[in-house]
Amino acid sequence: MLRQDEQRMKIIEHVYQVGGSGISAPGDAAIYLITSGDIAALIDAGTGEGHENVVKAIDACRAPGTPVSFLFLTHCHYDHCGGAARLKKHYECDIIAHEMDARFLETGDGRVTAALWYNADLPPLTVDYKISTPQEYFLIGNLELQAIHCPGHSPGSLVYLLETPGHRVLFGQDIHGPLHPDLLSNRDDYIVSLSMLLKLNADILCEGHFGIIRGKDEVHKFIQSYIP
Ligand SMILES: [Zn+2]
Ligand SMILES: [Zn+2]
């Protein structure tokens, strides 16, 4: 790919969108790439139906030879995780998820992962590292990535907050919901979680289905709009 492809996918220094509907496959939720120092990490994996496109995009954005070491999953739904197994195989990356969602990935639960909604099959997926605390910190090269438990849409939903020089980037997929019994959603948890997200004061929100929302006020407005 050409340098212009990299520029097109760049959100800010260190952060790219490498997949999503309109980029990799129609059913894909957004896939983001973080690069720093000599490593790269992914946030979510899409359905897997656009695997080749995702790989092409990742390889256009990372420096040659930079390993993709981690795949951080925001939650267990098919549109975010269906592609995880193939990406893990391709890049030999470790998969990270919250333990309360990991159990449905590891059993390949078609209902709770929403795979049945997509008429798809989500074969059991091994999660290499399970988050079990309210928050946890990871280092991606020189950048700190904070995983924060954000239950509601699913029991083990996570958001990830990335501090870059000049930006607080929130990877918050499916902030908009939906809430549904099949997904084991919990409305009370969801409202508490959204209020917590407002306090993070992010100035960029990388959402799963609504693109990139820029500016503290706009991010605040977007999250607030889902709080009844
Ligand atoms: Zn979801
Ligand atoms: Zn989604």
Side-chain angles (χ1 to χ4, degrees):
M1 266 200 205
L2 301 169
R3 172 111 189 117
Q4 68 198 55
D5 292 311
E6 182 199 334
Q7 286 305 325
R8 191 167 41 79
M9 292 182 276
K10 189 172 189 169
I11 298 166
I12 53 165
E13 198 66 36
H14 304 293
V15 183
Y16 300 85
Q17 182 173 2
V18 293
S21 70
I23 298 176
S24 45
D28 281 2
I31 306 168
Y32 298 102
L33 179 77
I34 302 168
T35 63
S36 173
D38 55 3
I39 72 162
L42 290 164
I43 308 275
D44 279 352
T47 59
E49 287 155 28
H51 175 76
E52 309 297 339
N53 294 333
V54 175
V55 166
K56 258 189 229 160
I58 291 169
D59 293 346
C61 297
R62 64 174 180 153
T66 303
V68 178
S69 304
F70 304 107
L71 166 52
F72 293 94
L73 296 174
T74 58
H75 63 296
C76 68
H77 296 161
Y78 175 74
D79 50 329
H80 301 259
C81 300
R86 285 183 77 187
L87 286 172
K88 179 181 165 73
K89 195 166 170 207
H90 189 94
Y91 291 110
E92 298 181 335
C93 51
D94 282 345
I95 295 183
I96 294 141
H98 194 279
E99 64 172 3
M100 291 173 82
D101 270 27
R103 68 182 67 149
F104 303 110
L105 292 168
E106 295 198 318
T107 56
D109 187 312
R111 180 177 67 93
V112 182
T113 65
L116 293 173
W117 290 7
Y118 291 84
N119 283 322
D121 194 30
L122 188 65
L125 174 74
T126 302
V127 176
D128 299 288
Y129 183 77
K130 291 164 200 157
I131 293 174
S132 57
T133 52
Q135 67 214 72
E136 208 156 311
Y137 294 87
F138 299 88
L139 262 188
I140 314 292
N142 306 316
L143 301 178
E144 189 176 80
L145 184 74
Q146 185 183 357
I148 307 169
H149 188 205
C150 184
H153 174 56
S154 74
S157 282
L158 292 164
V159 295
Y160 296 96
L161 185 68
L162 182 74
E163 297 274 0
T164 76
H167 291 287
R168 280 168 78 80
V169 186
L170 178 62
F171 299 93
Q173 310 269 40
D174 291 6
I175 280 176
H176 62 283
L179 304 180
H180 193 283
D182 282 358
L183 310 178
L184 307 180
S185 304
N186 182 304
R187 190 168 182 77
D188 291 344
D189 288 350
Y190 177 70
I191 292 166
V192 171
S193 289
L194 290 191
S195 305
M196 178 273 292
L197 294 186
L198 286 176
K199 297 195 189 104
L200 296 177
N201 259 327
D203 59 66
I204 296 178
L205 170 61
C206 296
E207 223 274 346
H209 301 271
F210 287 86
I212 320 297
I213 295 144
R214 292 177 189 266
K216 263 189 185 148
D217 290 349
E218 290 304 310
V219 171
H220 196 280
K221 216 190 296 172
F222 181 86
I223 298 169
Q224 182 78 55
S225 71
Y226 293 99
I227 302 178

